[in-house]
Amino acid sequence: YSTRSHTSINRKKYLDTDDILDVENEIAYDFELAGAYKNFMFQGEYKRDAISRMNGLETVDLGGYYVQAAYLLFGGRYNYNKADAEFTRLSRGKDWGELEVALRYDYVDANDFDANIYGGSAEGYTLGVNYYFNPNVKFMMNYAYNNHDRYANGKGKLYVGHDADGNLTRDPFSVTEPDGEGGDDFGMLSFRIEIDF
């Protein structure tokens, strides 16, 4: 199990469990909740994965969640398509456009210490500002900050802290930084223009 950060521009997969051996079966489930009222919307999802293994090995438990909220500043409205279970194009509050401010928090945990799986965990904070020029054109700008733990080393390829000699290390068990301070943390600013036909 592996994943990239908020954008694929940074191709590194900080979270990676490597191969999980002797898998017998997997049970995956998630819960999602979304809603909107006038110019306010919220959405969230919680996911878990239970991976049962053979030969007396511990079941691996992985998971994560996100919550987000957004607000349209010029009085527009969010539209929800029940058949597709998703928000669709919004109704702009002004003829010349709509401005949206959005916040999001993500958390992913690919660690299961009881099962000796150290895939890393990370949390992300995102602030987005989006301008809807018309129903077909949208300008998006997001700032995201990623906070990784000391086990988020991309299967041993990425640095996660310093060892006792002060050298960078990829080994999470050699990191001398206090708990909560190991790992590679960084922010990203992204800008995108979307054109829908």
Side-chain angles (χ1 to χ4, degrees):
Y1 295 82
S2 64
T3 186
R4 291 188 173 91
S5 300
H6 290 91
T7 177
S8 293
I9 292 171
N10 180 349
R11 304 292 294 169
K12 295 176 180 158
K13 290 188 174 182
Y14 289 85
L15 303 182
D16 196 324
T17 63
D18 206 349
D19 294 337
I20 297 176
L21 304 176
D22 297 316
V23 173
E24 184 171 20
N25 62 59
E26 172 187 20
I27 297 175
Y29 58 93
D30 68 56
F31 301 98
E32 186 174 9
L33 180 65
Y37 179 73
K38 295 184 180 179
N39 55 339
F40 173 77
M41 98 52 137
F42 68 90
Q43 188 171 333
E45 186 173 8
Y46 174 81
K47 295 182 145 248
R48 295 304 302 173
D49 242 326
I51 303 143
S52 298
R53 298 189 291 172
M54 300 175 285
N55 302 321
L57 294 172
E58 289 278 337
T59 296
V60 179
D61 186 31
L62 309 174
Y65 64 92
Y66 76 87
V67 290
Q68 67 183 30
Y71 186 78
L72 300 172
L73 298 178
F74 301 140
R77 288 182 174 260
Y78 290 99
N79 300 307
Y80 190 78
N81 183 324
K82 293 179 186 175
D84 293 335
E86 65 183 9
F87 287 99
T88 59
R89 293 180 184 169
L90 55 80
S91 301
R92 294 172 295 137
K94 304 290 183 187
D95 289 339
W96 45 265
E98 181 64 67
L99 193 62
E100 176 184 51
V101 176
L103 294 171
R104 180 179 171 114
Y105 176 79
D106 303 88
Y107 179 74
V108 178
D109 189 3
N111 292 321
D112 187 332
F113 302 124
D114 293 334
N116 292 318
I117 300 295
Y118 304 99
S121 69
E123 58 183 352
Y125 305 88
T126 305
L127 170 64
V129 178
N130 305 308
Y131 175 62
Y132 296 81
F133 178 70
N134 61 38
N136 303 95
V137 179
K138 177 168 73 166
F139 300 89
M140 294 168 278
M141 186 172 65
N142 292 304
Y143 175 77
Y145 182 77
N146 297 282
N147 179 20
H148 296 99
D149 74 355
R150 66 186 61 220
Y151 303 101
N153 66 357
K155 292 194 300 188
K157 298 176 196 164
L158 306 170
Y159 293 112
V160 291
H162 297 87
D163 63 18
D165 297 325
N167 299 315
L168 284 172
T169 182
R170 296 178 177 97
D171 180 6
F173 301 102
S174 299
V175 172
T176 58
E177 281 86 356
D179 285 345
E181 293 183 22
D184 190 6
D185 305 333
F186 58 89
M188 299 179 287
L189 182 64
S190 59
F191 179 76
R192 187 172 91 181
I193 300 171
E194 181 179 309
I195 301 173
D196 294 329
F197 294 97

